Amino acid sequence: MIRKILFLIAGLTVLGLLIQLIPYGHNHTNPPVNAEPNWDSPETRILAQRACFDCHSNVTRWPWYSNIAPASWLVYRDVTEGRLHINFSDWNRPDEQHVNEFQEVFDKNSMPPGQYLLLHPEAKLSPDEKQKLFDGLMKLKESYRQ
């Protein structure tokens, strides 16, 4: 029985080392900041920076675990998808910003995601802060491409 457990541990260790060779998730180069939106207030930007920028901007902070697979795959995917939906650092891009999702995200309380908040408690906003951020984002929505 002990031999089987040791064999399993050795196999998992080898597998863990081998998956580090998969290149997906290792590109942590932040693109340049092209254009931010015209924030309605400095407070809205500060709240967005605290709760949103790691996935929805080009100033992502890449934590140590973003270099270790399989966590690196998950972090990279979240940042890539987040930037596709809303990118506060590339506001005037030709691709559409999904500003219509602000209401849904607020109603479902789905951002930042729970797994992100576990490792980034500073991103957790109070109900008052969430309301202020939402109000500021709704003003961005009104002014988006007008």
Side-chain angles (χ1 to χ4, degrees):
M1 182 66 168
I2 293 175
R3 189 175 186 149
K4 287 181 182 180
I5 292 172
L6 290 175
F7 185 73
L8 179 64
I9 291 171
L12 290 174
T13 301
V14 168
L15 180 63
L17 293 172
L18 286 175
I19 65 173
Q20 302 312 309
L21 300 175
I22 298 172
Y24 180 79
H26 291 279
N27 179 8
H28 296 160
T29 304
N30 285 330
V33 174
N34 293 322
E36 283 197 23
N38 291 322
W39 300 98
D40 70 310
S41 71
E43 183 179 22
T44 300
R45 187 187 186 282
I46 289 168
L47 291 170
Q49 183 178 24
R50 196 171 116 204
C52 311
F53 271 31
D54 273 347
C55 292
H56 295 284
S57 78
N58 294 346
V59 290
T60 302
R61 295 172 298 151
W62 298 96
W64 64 269
Y65 56 84
S66 68
N67 293 303
I68 302 169
S72 61
W73 306 339
L74 299 172
V75 172
Y76 186 76
R77 184 202 66 205
D78 287 350
V79 171
T80 301
E81 288 180 11
R83 287 175 178 168
L84 285 174
H85 280 271
I86 296 287
N87 190 334
F88 294 115
S89 296
D90 199 8
W91 196 248
N92 296 327
R93 69 185 185 190
D95 299 336
E96 181 183 355
Q97 302 277 3
H98 294 241
V99 295
N100 291 328
E101 294 178 9
F102 290 153
Q103 183 71 52
E104 179 183 350
V105 166
F106 180 76
D107 290 345
K108 291 183 177 179
N109 197 25
S110 60
M111 290 286 160
Q115 71 270 19
Y116 179 80
L117 291 173
L118 286 174
L119 297 169
H120 302 274
E122 72 281 359
K124 185 167 179 60
L125 302 177
S126 70
D128 184 51
E129 290 172 324
K130 283 182 186 179
Q131 186 64 55
K132 287 178 182 176
L133 176 59
F134 175 71
D135 292 344
L137 293 177
M138 292 309 286
K139 289 177 183 171
L140 284 182
K141 178 183 172 186
E142 291 169 10
S143 66
Y144 179 66
R145 294 214 177 147
Q146 289 185 3

